[in-house]
Amino acid sequence: MRALVELKRFFGTGPYALVGGEFIPDRGGFLNVELHVSADIGADLQAPATRAGLPMEFARPLLSGLLEQPSEFDVPAGVLRIDRGVYSEISSSPRIFQTTGRLFRAVLGAMARGAEVESVVHQKLKE
């Protein structure tokens, strides 16, 4: 199952992060996290301050968020792969990528368990 999580404020400038990837269930007892980091950052011509790729500056906090204590809607054993990211040179921060990591894992966990994704996201944002 694939997911894309984007955090942004709708009015004015605010924190921004976009992360995409997939979860592949496995019968083993472990969760393997794969994080693809990009040194080749590409500009978005429609929004020149936005960059496609995931630099180490944001990969480390994203991984930290992915590895935080999971909620009751955690993903089961398998592979959790992050294979895309987008950030803004103006409004992205390590903290917003850490929050995005927590939300990404919770969203995939909710999807895997058949829970309502929107309520899980609201619950995680309150923590």
Side-chain angles (χ1 to χ4, degrees):
M1 88 187 62
R2 294 198 59 81
L4 191 65
V5 173
E6 181 178 32
L7 284 174
K8 66 180 180 177
R9 189 172 294 149
F10 288 105
F11 301 105
T13 60
Y16 180 81
L18 185 142
V19 172
E22 65 183 337
F23 173 70
I24 303 165
D26 188 328
R27 293 184 187 261
F30 298 100
L31 176 65
N32 294 310
V33 177
E34 296 178 5
L35 183 58
H36 296 229
V37 178
S38 177
D40 299 326
I41 306 300
D44 179 348
L45 297 178
Q46 298 296 325
T50 303
R51 301 285 185 246
L54 189 60
M56 288 302 293
E57 173 187 3
F58 299 129
R60 285 187 182 103
L62 175 65
L63 182 60
S64 175
L66 288 167
L67 298 177
E68 282 184 18
Q69 182 65 34
S71 68
E72 64 272 15
F73 296 106
D74 192 23
V75 292
V79 176
L80 180 60
R81 179 178 299 125
I82 305 294
D83 58 11
R84 60 196 45 141
V86 176
Y87 69 97
S88 167
E89 291 183 340
I90 298 170
S91 56
S92 291
S93 69
R95 183 172 181 211
I96 196 67
F97 271 89
Q98 184 175 12
T99 301
T100 304
R102 282 195 345 259
L103 287 173
F104 188 83
R105 185 170 174 173
V107 164
L108 286 173
M111 291 169 66
R113 300 187 188 287
E116 184 180 323
V117 172
E118 188 173 334
S119 65
V120 171
V121 168
H122 286 292
Q123 175 186 340
K124 290 302 276 183
L125 286 173
K126 290 179 184 176
E127 294 178 359

